[in-house]
Amino acid sequence: MIAPRRHPAQDHFRQPLTETPFHPRLAALCETESWYNWAGQKALHSVYDEELEYFAIRSTAAVFDISPMIKYRIRGPGAEAMLNRLTLRDVRKLAPGRVQYTAWCDDAGEVLDDGTLFRPGPQEFRLCSQGRHLPWILDTAEGFDCTVEDESTAIAGLALQGPASFAVLQAAGFSGLETLKTFNIRDLPHEGGQVTISRTGFTGDLGYELFCPAEAALSLWDRLWSAGAPLGLKPIGYNALDRARIEAGFIVPGTDFIATDLALRADRARLPDEIGLDWLVDPAKTQFNGRRAIMAARAKGGPRHVLVGLEVEDNTPAVGAILYHHKKREAGVVSSAIWSPMLKRNIAIASLDAPYGSRITEDLWVEIYALRELRYHKLMKRARIVPRPFLKLRRRTVTPPGLV
Amino acid sequence: MTSCDAIVIGGGHNGLTTATVLAKSGRKVMLFEAAEALCASMQTVEIAPGYRTSALSHLVNRLAPEVIRATGLDTACLNRTPAPTVTLGAGEPVVLRGGYGETLDGVSAEEALAFAAFRQKLMAQAAILGRFLTRRPPLPGEITRKDLLPLTTTGLALLRGGRGAARELMRMLLTNVADAADEHLCDDRLRGLMAFDATLGSHMGPRSPGSLLGLYYRLTGSANGIPGAQIVPLGGMGALATAFTAAAERAGVTLRPGTPVARIEAVQGRATGVTLADGTLVQAPVVVSAVHPATTFLQLVDRAEIGTGLTRAFRRHRSRGNVAKLHLALSRVPGFTGVAEADHAGRIVLARSTDHVETAFNPAKYAEFSPDPAMEVVLPSLGQPEMAAEGCTLSALVQFAPYALRGGWAAGKAKLLETILARLEAHAPGLRETIVFADLLPPPEIEARFALPGGHWHHGEMTADQLLFNRPVHAAAGYRTPLDGLWLASAGSHPGGGISGLPGLNAAREILEARP
């Protein structure tokens, strides 16, 4: 009974590795051919040079194709109540014209995904995420007066990030954005249609995300490109973005936590509290998926896992390293790690098994296996728990954006 | 706005049992029933002028002594000798007397011995399984000290019979009734009867995996202290309905029939009361739903108050009835060929063999009914002139009758009635010309008349995947639900359907033991 309802709404699986609406421009600029599969679409690890791309984010401006993001349009008088059932935060507090970072769980309180919830209008929402959740959202919406539409391929998305991103938009003729505050949305005209610009991003820098119909993608790219190239606008791939997001302390599903519906092992699923998303949980709002289990776990004595930011001594990124307490007892694993070019610090995101990370926070070590020309260098380095984000930039939030 | 200690939604025998037990412990209880009559499916109704019969259920075979004690139920209507079961096959009928055939008529001495051995084995196994029926099912991950006692005593009871007996139970538990009967018996009539009894009310044939569970469940029941026995109540099932209602009244339950509940109110995952169809809000810290669990969660509770996973589970919950109910008013008592006059007061089963029941089931898989259905027939008015001053009423359960019949029941009903009457005529010649009135209720009409979703009187299939800690669904097993303060007490909860009162009693006990 469920299957026929879902299939017509979702046929992404019929064609493997499709091209995003920006593909012709990216392919023309690409020097690495480092394509990978992002949700069934071709995406680039790097366009020309990972290092330079990273510095474009931090010193000029960078465009990153986010079209493969999964995007659901939810409309109707019951949309707010439905999304309040679906997600952890109170959607009633999300004003029209604003964006909310949020997450959603199953009945057991285990995280299905995180994402951003846009509210362009009182009865209109867009939910963006890494994973596909149409069956879950449709089932959640049953009984609510709203429609759910997968607009992942119909809508193209572009992240424009970096200190010069505002200048690029201004030069491209998108006017009035100096008043746009962080997490605000605005619709601006483009080629007879509209482009939705939000002051959001995944870099912790000044930045915007632009959404437009797939047909308008290339003209939007060209408009930004011709205005932005003189300002140092560069196309980037995922690797550069990944560095920026680690500095910003953001977590990625599949990397820093395993979505419960994708976890093959039952003990890999995580409650929001166990991956640092406790601040999203709003127990004071209406009932929502997972509330009962999350509150029960809290009453039982807190999370069994703790996601933390680490600063590791020396300069070898601790990717995949095992964490030890007192160099002896296994305490967790590093899920993301880089040498931060901005901070000149060796930073990491790690999951610890309680009481490590909660009661025991000292005397932590990471064991790094660094492969150096066919020989592993086994390094035992001290790790210190530090607050996230590692990198805090004033320019991210200052309005109007300026040279700060 | 009104308030009380506990609200019970649904005035079936389980709802009445819960309400009575809670009230007897000093709680102020209000019970709301949508229909004008309490125990709608246990009423004695007048189907035609001067002809009275039981509306849906027509036999008492599992009313739990614990329920009788806890509610102070007046069981005067059950002061009768257990009714025999007559199974008609080709030739002579077999008659089972006492508790499910303590003695047998109509089979060879050798077969009688085989049946006695098989019966004894099934009874012993059912007695072990029966230990689980009178309490909350053990919930994996939440096994309490209270659960350990029955688990331990069950283990000991198993060992008392020797390792062989324990192994035998584990071997048989999830097998099908056809294989079990073939292994122990030779007589087709006995095998057909067991096939029928194991599958009655379920969407399964005797060769469906796990079908033996249905027979075990039947044998866990008793009547007047005799395991496996059955009684046609004096005055019809309505007399028992009256007794349940009277017990609730005596306990001080505020009974509100004809008062539908529109929705269950909840705030942040906690039930706070109900809103009645007329808009009245009634508040209580405890809300017990003794209506179908799917109705409870898919209609009465606001979706916003429960998890998506729970609604998914209830949409997958299997609860489509597969039995039609037939009422006949007859101008004289029918004579079933080969059946002694006295035995007409018993349960007459038309199931010639395992194959007959299995073949009757086959079309139901494809939304059709068989031209040769199996059925059980009782004549509830026999020996009771107040039920039918002249003639007789006949009540039959006919399987299989799929809920969603291909072509629809509007067209199919007359055809099924004709099919049934032809079968009855073959066994009781002359019956057709004595029919004063006939009424056939396929599952959708049972659903409409008795507010039983799917027309399923067990409130959900009684198969292994929907029993014990998975009844009705895992997240709502053990009477407590994911909506704090909301409890389930219908046949949809453990141990299941039939007129036992145990779901209602177990739920009441759990509520009384729960910390506020």
Side-chain angles (χ1 to χ4, degrees):
Chain A
M1 273 205 322
I2 298 164
R5 212 156 46 77
R6 290 172 181 165
H7 278 172
Q10 211 177 16
D11 65 351
H12 59 90
F13 58 89
R14 294 186 196 282
Q15 191 184 357
L17 280 192
T18 54
E19 293 168 353
T20 77
F22 298 110
H23 185 81
R25 299 294 181 270
L26 274 173
L29 293 165
C30 174
E31 295 175 16
T32 63
E33 296 298 335
S34 58
W35 301 100
Y36 71 101
N37 177 345
W38 177 5
Q41 306 210 41
K42 287 181 197 169
L44 280 167
H45 277 301
S46 161
V47 185
Y48 59 101
D49 184 301
E50 185 182 323
E51 204 74 19
L52 295 176
E53 290 166 33
Y54 165 80
F55 281 107
I57 300 173
R58 292 295 182 221
S59 50
T60 56
V63 275
F64 179 66
D65 181 4
I66 54 170
S67 303
M69 287 265 289
I70 306 304
K71 302 174 274 295
Y72 299 113
R73 176 71 70 161
I74 298 134
R75 288 190 181 94
E80 182 186 84
M82 188 284 274
L83 287 162
N84 247 350
R85 183 192 194 196
L86 180 78
T87 64
L88 298 176
R89 292 179 80 175
D90 195 340
V91 182
R92 292 172 303 184
K93 292 180 184 166
L94 177 62
R98 296 275 295 162
V99 184
Q100 200 177 54
Y101 170 66
T102 191
W104 49 102
C105 299
D106 63 10
D107 288 24
E110 291 166 347
V111 179
L112 284 161
D113 211 342
D114 65 348
T116 42
L117 181 62
F118 293 67
R119 187 170 199 174
Q123 298 187 2
E124 184 144 3
F125 296 86
R126 172 182 288 151
L127 186 64
C128 294
S129 64
Q130 283 282 336
R132 295 184 187 273
H133 301 280
L134 192 60
W136 181 254
I137 297 174
L138 283 174
D139 287 353
T140 306
E142 203 186 73
F144 291 83
D145 187 6
C146 66
T147 58
V148 180
E149 186 193 339
D150 184 345
E151 55 178 19
S152 301
T153 50
I155 299 292
L158 207 55
L160 173 64
Q161 304 280 307
S165 52
F166 170 71
V168 170
L169 287 171
Q170 210 173 25
F174 291 109
S175 57
L177 291 175
E178 59 278 2
T179 56
L180 193 72
K181 292 182 178 164
T182 321
F183 290 115
N184 274 15
I185 314 168
R186 193 164 301 166
D187 281 342
L188 289 172
H190 173 71
E191 297 276 312
Q194 282 194 321
V195 53
T196 301
I197 300 181
S198 59
R199 190 163 164 190
T200 49
F202 208 48
T203 58
D205 216 307
L206 173 65
Y208 301 85
E209 285 171 323
L210 292 77
F211 294 95
C212 68
E215 308 79 60
L218 292 180
S219 64
L220 177 65
W221 178 283
D222 295 341
R223 182 173 169 183
L224 291 175
W225 196 249
S226 53
L231 296 169
L233 180 65
K234 299 287 179 197
I236 62 163
Y238 181 71
N239 292 1
L241 181 81
D242 194 42
R243 294 200 200 185
R245 74 90 190 170
I246 295 172
E247 289 180 328
F250 293 129
I251 55 170
V252 173
T255 302
D256 300 298
F257 71 95
I258 307 297
T260 180
D261 58 335
L262 300 177
L264 299 177
R265 298 159 183 83
D267 65 344
R268 302 304 199 269
R270 290 290 179 268
L271 301 173
D273 295 7
E274 296 173 334
I275 54 171
L277 299 183
D278 46 320
W279 62 281
L280 295 178
V281 179
D282 189 346
K285 74 161 187 172
T286 51
Q287 178 70 340
F288 53 91
N289 280 338
R291 180 184 191 274
R292 182 185 168 86
I294 294 165
M295 300 315 282
R298 285 183 181 179
K300 244 182 167 177
R304 290 192 292 174
H305 307 275
V306 188
L307 188 135
V308 295
L310 291 180
E311 190 175 331
V312 182
E313 65 176 343
D314 281 345
N315 60 7
T316 310
V319 187
I322 295 176
L323 266 143
Y324 291 92
H325 176 246
H326 202 56
K327 295 191 184 179
K328 272 198 188 116
R329 196 174 289 272
E330 204 176 310
V333 69
V334 171
S335 53
S336 295
I338 55 157
W339 167 259
S340 163
M342 285 287 279
L343 296 163
K344 307 287 183 272
R345 278 156 58 197
N346 194 18
I347 57 173
I349 295 170
S351 280
L352 300 178
D353 303 323
Y356 305 109
S358 52
R359 194 162 53 74
I360 302 171
T361 54
E362 300 295 323
D363 203 8
L364 295 173
W365 300 77
V366 290
E367 186 176 38
I368 308 167
Y369 281 71
L371 187 61
R372 302 273 186 260
E373 296 177 322
L374 294 185
R375 177 159 298 189
Y376 273 110
H377 290 226
K378 207 168 98 179
L379 312 168
M380 189 64 97
K381 297 293 179 188
R382 186 178 284 279
R384 205 161 48 80
I385 294 177
V386 295
R388 286 180 300 143
F390 302 97
L391 176 68
K392 253 187 148 165
L393 295 167
R394 262 194 74 212
R395 63 180 180 242
R396 185 179 80 90
T397 51
V398 166
T399 310
L403 294 174
V404 282
Chain B
M1 193 192 69
T2 324
S3 71
C4 57
D5 297 331
I7 293 165
V8 176
I9 306 166
H13 69 285
N14 278 311
L16 285 166
T17 300
T18 307
T20 305
V21 175
L22 291 179
K24 285 182 99 172
S25 78
R27 309 271 180 118
K28 193 181 158 207
V29 184
M30 295 183 84
L31 181 146
F32 301 103
E33 164 59 45
E36 292 300 329
L38 296 163
C39 290
S41 60
M42 281 165 64
Q43 290 298 309
T44 300
V45 290
E46 188 167 48
I47 49 168
Y51 290 94
R52 292 162 64 74
T53 190
S54 300
L56 183 60
S57 54
H58 51 214
L59 284 163
V60 177
N61 61 8
R62 58 179 318 109
L63 181 61
E66 292 88 347
V67 172
I68 297 171
R69 277 197 300 274
T71 57
L73 199 68
D74 176 5
T75 54
C77 65
L78 305 179
N79 276 335
R80 294 189 99 177
T81 354
T85 294
V86 182
T87 180
L88 304 179
E92 285 289 290
V94 181
V95 186
L96 282 72
R97 304 192 187 281
Y100 210 76
E102 279 168 288
T103 59
L104 281 187
D105 294 348
V107 295
S108 67
E110 201 181 336
E111 184 70 2
L113 278 176
F115 179 82
F118 187 33
R119 179 188 172 279
Q120 194 200 3
K121 186 198 264 187
L122 289 174
M123 284 291 192
Q125 292 174 337
I128 287 167
L129 300 174
R131 291 163 186 270
F132 289 98
L133 304 191
T134 52
R135 48 176 58 87
R136 187 189 84 167
L139 303 173
E142 287 178 49
I143 302 288
T144 62
R145 205 177 300 165
K146 218 176 64 189
D147 293 318
L148 288 178
L149 187 68
L151 287 173
T152 314
T153 56
T154 304
L156 289 175
L158 268 174
L159 291 175
R160 203 173 304 129
R163 268 184 199 206
R167 203 164 49 225
E168 186 66 352
L169 174 60
M170 297 322 286
R171 180 183 74 90
M172 290 175 67
L173 190 59
L174 294 180
T175 58
N176 68 71
V177 65
D179 285 348
D182 282 356
E183 191 179 312
H184 293 84
L185 303 172
C186 296
D187 193 299
D188 271 343
R189 297 162 300 174
L190 286 173
R191 294 194 289 201
L193 171 71
M194 287 183 155
F196 180 85
D197 285 348
T199 55
L200 182 63
S202 295
H203 180 76
M204 55 162 59
R207 293 198 175 86
S208 303
S211 62
L212 189 59
L213 281 176
L215 188 58
Y216 282 132
Y217 188 66
R218 173 179 282 264
L219 296 180
T220 57
S222 65
N224 293 353
I226 306 164
Q230 60 199 0
I231 285 172
V232 182
L234 288 163
M237 293 302 285
L240 197 55
T242 307
F244 270 106
T245 308
E249 277 168 351
R250 274 199 306 278
V253 178
T254 307
L255 296 172
R256 300 276 299 276
T259 314
V261 167
R263 62 179 179 274
I264 295 169
E265 297 296 336
V267 178
Q268 289 181 345
R270 169 164 279 282
T272 55
V274 298
T275 297
L276 305 177
D278 66 8
T280 314
L281 178 67
V282 185
Q283 288 193 316
V286 170
V287 177
V288 187
S289 177
V291 300
H292 195 289
T295 307
T296 307
F297 282 100
L298 300 183
Q299 287 173 34
L300 294 180
V301 172
D302 182 355
R303 293 290 170 91
E305 290 296 336
I306 54 170
T308 302
L310 189 65
T311 43
R312 270 187 177 180
F314 273 111
R315 265 204 324 204
R316 295 189 198 112
H317 183 248
R318 289 176 300 110
S319 186
R320 282 193 160 184
N322 210 348
V323 178
K325 173 81 187 186
L326 173 70
H327 292 302
L328 291 182
L330 304 173
S331 58
R332 60 180 158 80
V333 177
F336 282 84
T337 311
V339 180
E341 199 185 325
D343 291 340
H344 279 77
R347 176 171 72 114
I348 300 167
V349 177
L350 276 62
R352 295 185 302 278
S353 63
T354 302
D355 275 352
H356 175 204
V357 182
E358 185 74 26
T359 312
F361 171 60
N362 287 340
K365 291 186 274 190
Y366 311 104
E368 284 165 357
F369 56 77
S370 163
D372 184 14
M375 66 189 89
E376 75 171 29
V377 175
V378 290
L379 306 171
S381 66
L382 273 196
Q384 301 193 68
E386 68 279 11
M387 298 275 285
E390 289 168 34
C392 171
T393 50
L394 180 149
S395 169
L397 293 173
V398 182
Q399 69 177 11
F400 295 86
Y403 176 82
L405 185 72
R406 182 172 302 174
W409 277 108
K413 193 168 137 173
K415 284 183 207 154
L416 179 59
L417 180 62
E418 175 55 36
T419 306
I420 297 166
L421 293 180
R423 299 309 307 158
L424 286 173
E425 178 74 18
H427 285 281
L431 177 142
R432 291 198 70 158
E433 64 193 29
T434 67
I435 295 174
V436 177
F437 173 80
D439 188 17
L440 180 67
L441 302 179
E445 286 189 40
I446 294 175
E447 174 178 57
R449 198 171 296 184
F450 305 109
L452 284 172
H456 202 302
W457 68 68
H458 292 318
H459 287 203
E461 285 282 282
M462 299 268 297
T463 43
D465 59 321
Q466 292 190 166
L467 288 179
L468 291 165
F469 46 80
N470 285 322
R471 187 159 190 87
V473 300
H474 185 72
Y479 316 105
R480 204 182 272 277
T481 73
L483 192 63
D484 290 331
L486 175 67
W487 301 76
L488 297 181
S490 88
S493 287
H494 175 79
I499 312 296
S500 76
L502 283 174
L505 175 66
N506 293 353
R509 285 175 172 169
E510 286 299 310
I511 293 164
L512 290 172
E513 278 179 25
R515 282 193 209 103

